[in-house]
Amino acid sequence: MNLILSDRPLALPETGPDDIRLIDLSQRKIANCVGCFGCWTKTPGKCVIRDDAVEVYPAIAASDRVLYVSRVKYGGYDTIMKSMLERAIPVQQAFIRLFHGETHHVQRAVAPKQAVILAYGDISPREQQVFRRLVERNASNMNFESHRVVFVPEHEVEEAVKKEVEAWARS
Amino acid sequence: MGKILILNGSPRAPRSNSKAYAQWFTQVCPTETETYAITRDNHLELCRAMENCDHLLLVFPLYADGIPVTLLNFLKTLEENPPQHKPTVSVLINCGFLEPEQSEVAISMVELFCEQNSYPFGSVLSIGSGEAILNTPFRGLVGRKLKQLAASMTRRQGRRLKVTMPLPKKLFLRASTTYWENYGKRNGITRAQMETMDIEI
């Protein structure tokens, strides 16, 4: 499955593949993770907060191609995307493994992903550098097999999404 | 040095490891401290509290490779409501992984906030194995580093400190597996249940 997770409304081009699921997080009710570890130790694989996030993290897990569209703040994802990524930890187990020589959580049934992160806003070179390091770390914790970061000013988001979706259609 | 304002940016502040680290810090810190948990509703109150301090210590866990939303949202409010006198900002971060280096990006995020908003950046203590270390014989190592952090902040040395369990990785894996297995057991959940590969099924 191809998943687009966006922190803003998007119009999809008609030329993309058929199996794209677009989730506009700005229209979803997603509370903050409360760090209760319920999804690891009480109801494994399920978040105890039953809001819209419980539809989103299974979609993340099932997708082998993802496009995350997020505004950047302080070199990281801004609130909407970051809230969702924090709520996605039910896709991992509490247990820790060695991965590339580092300790990381064991993944549940999470498809390996080709990830494109479309990061938008007025992003300084220094901020871009921190964001790239962040996505590099995400790769180990979110099962990205490959990843690419694209920085665009806000007014070019739609065009950049179109380009990525068309690339999906071609491959 | 004037007062240190300590803000707990953990999403589960009232019963967080961050709270325990912050409390211990206040016990070893020679300077007067004032501690608050960041909640959804107290951002402006905390911005005002900053007027009376020379130093701000942000205490928080690593969340999804970065700063938790609780802290992110507060920093955004602070950006809009800056104090007249900007304190020096230091960081006390903990992550559950063995490597404190996994928190480097989150520390850079706080540094970016400081650069963009003209706050002097101070010292850092990055704690690895932070979920469990306080309940192990290695807790003394944390105490020593907290003292060093307090001294570095007081003397404005800008030190970058790290601490973690001094264990080979394979031994840490075994210890953490036992830790989590016991955590589940207290909730009546077996290891096999915790190891389910199912998500929302």
Side-chain angles (χ1 to χ4, degrees), chain B residues 149-166:
Chain B
L149 175 67
S152 174
M153 287 169 63
T154 307
R155 297 177 197 146
R156 300 195 178 275
Q157 290 171 318
R159 290 184 71 185
R160 291 189 169 244
L161 302 158
K162 287 177 198 170
V163 65
T164 191
M165 291 187 200

Side-chain angles (χ1 to χ4, degrees), chain A residues 64-68 77 99-100 102 104 111-119 128-151 164 168, chain B residues 65 105:
Chain A
D64 44 25
R65 283 198 296 204
V66 294
L67 173 61
Y68 293 168
Y77 303 97
F99 181 68
H100 295 155
E102 272 184 347
H104 291 280
K113 297 174 202 322
Q114 294 171 33
V116 178
I117 316 297
L118 213 158
Q128 289 190 11
Q129 197 188 30
V130 174
F131 193 83
R132 282 188 197 283
R133 285 167 51 212
L134 169 67
V135 177
E136 189 70 38
R137 292 235 66 90
N138 290 162
S140 297
N141 291 315
M142 300 177 185
N143 225 6
F144 296 168
E145 213 169 40
S146 67
H147 59 274
R148 186 159 51 83
V149 182
V150 181
F151 293 105
E164 294 301 330
W168 277 354
Chain B
D65 302 313
V105 174

Side-chain angles (χ1 to χ4, degrees), chain B residues 103-118:
Chain B
S103 298
E104 295 284 342
V105 174
I107 297 164
S108 296
M109 288 173 177
V110 177
E111 285 183 280
L112 266 177
F113 165 83
C114 290
E115 276 173 33
Q116 291 173 1
N117 293 280
S118 308

Side-chain angles (χ1 to χ4, degrees), chain B residues 1 3 51 77 87 90 93 136 140 149 154 159 180:
Chain B
M1 186 174 86
K3 197 161 61 177
E51 294 288 1
T77 309
S90 290
I93 184 168
T136 71
L149 175 67
T154 307
R159 290 184 71 185
W180 286 111

Side-chain angles (χ1 to χ4, degrees), chain A residues 59-137:
Chain A
I60 293 176
S63 301
D64 44 25
R65 283 198 296 204
V66 294
L67 173 61
Y68 293 168
V69 181
S70 176
R71 184 182 293 282
V72 171
K73 193 72 187 168
Y74 312 136
Y77 303 97
D78 204 349
T79 301
I80 295 176
M81 181 64 69
K82 184 64 180 5
S83 302
M84 184 56 235
L85 295 178
E86 290 183 4
R87 287 290 303 287
I89 63 163
V91 310
Q92 301 179 341
Q93 297 177 10
F95 299 114
I96 290 178
R97 61 175 173 153
L98 276 186
F99 181 68
H100 295 155
E102 272 184 347
T103 56
H104 291 280
H105 288 283
V106 176
Q107 305 272 324
R108 301 191 199 276
V110 177
K113 297 174 202 322
Q114 294 171 33
V116 178
I117 316 297
L118 213 158
Y120 71 86
D122 182 14
I123 312 164
S124 70
R126 166 107 171 86
E127 208 170 359
Q128 289 190 11
Q129 197 188 30
V130 174
F131 193 83
R132 282 188 197 283
R133 285 167 51 212
L134 169 67
V135 177
E136 189 70 38
R137 292 235 66 90

Side-chain angles (χ1 to χ4, degrees), chain A residues 50 57 78-79 103 138 141, chain B residues 65 67 73 76 99 196 200:
Chain A
R50 308 307 293 168
Y57 58 74
D78 204 349
T79 301
T103 56
N138 290 162
N141 291 315
Chain B
D65 302 313
I67 59 174
N73 287 347
K76 285 162 69 175
E99 305 85 6
T196 180
E200 281 297 319

